[in-house]
């Protein structure tokens, strides 16, 4: 092992040392009866003081993995490999920062030394990948956002998910979202509505009042025109083409996709088509206010003072941690009725997993008061457990003054399914709407394309 720890804080280096030693022991790399390197050698390897090394080794002694023998050393006393249960846990890579996931896994393993969590990044773009991973026994548990869950249910994957107990302390609207046929199949973990984040100093500089819940999209456009400074910053940045952004405008318009008797989508001549056309016009009006459409670009521009306002989520606010930007948050603008697109991430257990009990224990910990409060204190993400999300105490990081606004906006939260479409249809529609709003589809060709593939697939009425 090479010493690559020097850039981390002492606490992080100590956590790394304990985690790496624990992993070596429970996986058999350091078999029972072996001795660890001396405390001095470990101190040099991990860039720690002897006292810190001693503290970390005492933790492993307490977990039953080491025996401290005076004047001899630290002896490995781990059980044989068959006593260690490995849980293969699929996760979205972004949640490492959004919920300090790896730190939480380390905390879980510290209290459960005979369970090893193998974190498996979910990188597939297949719309059915979680169901495939569960059915093939590749994963014991997995992180699933709401779209993943709906896709799994729509494609016959309900029986792949282990029913879970409903926690009364979870926000009910989250538990309801992950429930099918009266059974909770995915435990809520973190969530976020879309919101507006803005640079307060830019508003002060221009003598403008800060955004509030009364703002319409026209209010935002007018303010953005005044906030923009040529060759210096844009007034507003919106990742318009993101599947986690554009449904907002449709939900705020109180429309649903209409259906033909056979269940296929009817778009031509409908109110939904009028709204899609309005969205195209809004995007055109905002063209001189935005710059780029790459995911994460909005937060980067706000952090660098290159954008005055952005539409974002509490998840993505984590990109602003440790940035010196005086930002605050407000509800997203609307068309008269305040509504916001709700994003939710949950945790599911593979019903046929051979490590089902250990996987359930991991999920129980990640949704516990301890873990959920850790998320609240260490990140901007909203924990699904109500007492944790609404925790009030001394903050250890900068937090916008209106961070708790989500509590007052809960009645306006909406999932994309309220548009009357399923997860598979959302994905296909996203491709067509990108072309339409980009000028590569006419009204007629958009309607023909969507109605054609919907008719061919005989989409059921939701």
């Amino acid at each position: 092992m090479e010493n690559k720890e020097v850039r981390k804080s002492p606490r992080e280096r100590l956590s790394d040392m304990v985690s790496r030693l624990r992993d070596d022991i429970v996986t058999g790399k350091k078999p029972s009866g072996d001795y660890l390197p001396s405390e001095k050698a470990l101190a040099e390897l991990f860039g720690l003081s002897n006292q810190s090394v001693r503290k970390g080794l005492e933790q492993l002694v307490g977990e039953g993995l080491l025996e401290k023998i005076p004047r001899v050393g630290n002896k490995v006393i781990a059980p044989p490999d068959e006593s260690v249960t490995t849980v293969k846990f699929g996760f979205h890579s972004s949640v490492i920062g959004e919920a300090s996931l790896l730190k939480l896994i380390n905390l879980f393993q510290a209290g459960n030394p005979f369970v090893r969590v193998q974190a498996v990044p979910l990188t597939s773009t297949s719309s059915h990948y979680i169901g495939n991973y569960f059915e093939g026994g590749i994963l014991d548990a997995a992180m699933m956002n709401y779209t993943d869950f709906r896709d799994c249910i729509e494609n016959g994957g309900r029986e792949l998910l282990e029913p879970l107990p409903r926690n009364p302390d979870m926000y009910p609207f989250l538990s309801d979202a992950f429930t099918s046929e009266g059974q909770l199949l995915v435990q809520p973990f973190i969530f976020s509505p879309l919101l507006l984040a803005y640079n307060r100093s830019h508003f002060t500089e221009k003598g403008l009042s800060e955004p509030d819940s009364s703002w319409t999209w026209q209010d935002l456009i007018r303010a953005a025109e005044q906030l923009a400074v040529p060759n210096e910053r844009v007034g507003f940045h919106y990742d318009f083409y993101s599947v986690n952004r554009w449904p907002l405008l449709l939900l705020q318009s109180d429309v649903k996709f209409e259906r033909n008797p056979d269940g296929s989508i009817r778009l031509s001549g409908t109110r939904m088509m009028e709204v899609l056309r309005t969205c195209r016009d809004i995007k055109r009006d905002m063209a001189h206010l935005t710059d780029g459409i790459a995911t994460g670009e909005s937060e980067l521009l706000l952090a660098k003072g290159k954008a005055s306002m952005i539409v974002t989520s509490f998840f993505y606010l984590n990109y602003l941690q440790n940035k010196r930007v005086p930002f605050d948050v407000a509800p997203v603008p609307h068309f008269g009725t305040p509504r916001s697109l709700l994003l939710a991430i949950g945790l599911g257990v593979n019903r046929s997993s051979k490590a089902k009990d250990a996987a359930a224990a991991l999920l129980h910990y990640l949704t516990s008061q301890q873990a959920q409060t850790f998320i609240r204190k260490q990140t901007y993400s909203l924990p699904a457990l109500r007492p944790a999300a609404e925790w009030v105490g001394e903050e250890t990081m900068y937090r916008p003054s209106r961070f708790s606004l989500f509590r007052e906006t809960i009645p306006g939260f909406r999932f994309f399914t309220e548009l009357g479409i399923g997860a598979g249809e959302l994905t296909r529609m996203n491709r067509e709407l990108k072309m339409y709003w980009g000028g590569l589809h006419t009204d007629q060709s958009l309607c023909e394309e969507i109605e054609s593939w919907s008719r061919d697939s005989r989409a059921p009425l939701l």
Side-chain angles (χ1 to χ4, degrees), residues 402-421:
R402 288 190 276 180
F403 180 81
S404 62
L405 66 82
F406 72 91
R407 297 176 58 187
E408 284 67 46
T409 58
I410 286 175
F413 292 174
R414 298 290 187 275
F415 286 105
F416 77 87
T417 41
E418 294 198 30
L419 295 174
I421 55 175

Side-chain angles (χ1 to χ4, degrees), residues 98 192-196 217 236-252 279 293-299 310-317 319 332 340-343 416 419 426 430 437:
E98 293 169 5
S192 175
L194 295 188
L195 69 157
L196 192 69
W217 285 101
F236 178 58
H237 188 272
Y238 184 22
D239 188 2
F240 199 89
Y241 291 150
S242 169
V243 74
N244 287 327
R245 297 292 183 268
W246 61 258
L248 167 68
L249 301 176
L250 277 57
L251 290 166
Q252 290 183 338
C279 292
I293 56 173
T295 300
E297 187 76 7
S298 296
E299 292 71 26
I310 64 171
V311 169
T312 185
S313 67
F314 284 95
F315 300 152
Y316 273 29
L317 285 181
Y319 288 115
V332 285
S340 185
L341 175 64
L342 181 60
L343 310 175
F416 77 87
L419 295 174
L426 176 72
N430 188 52
W437 290 323

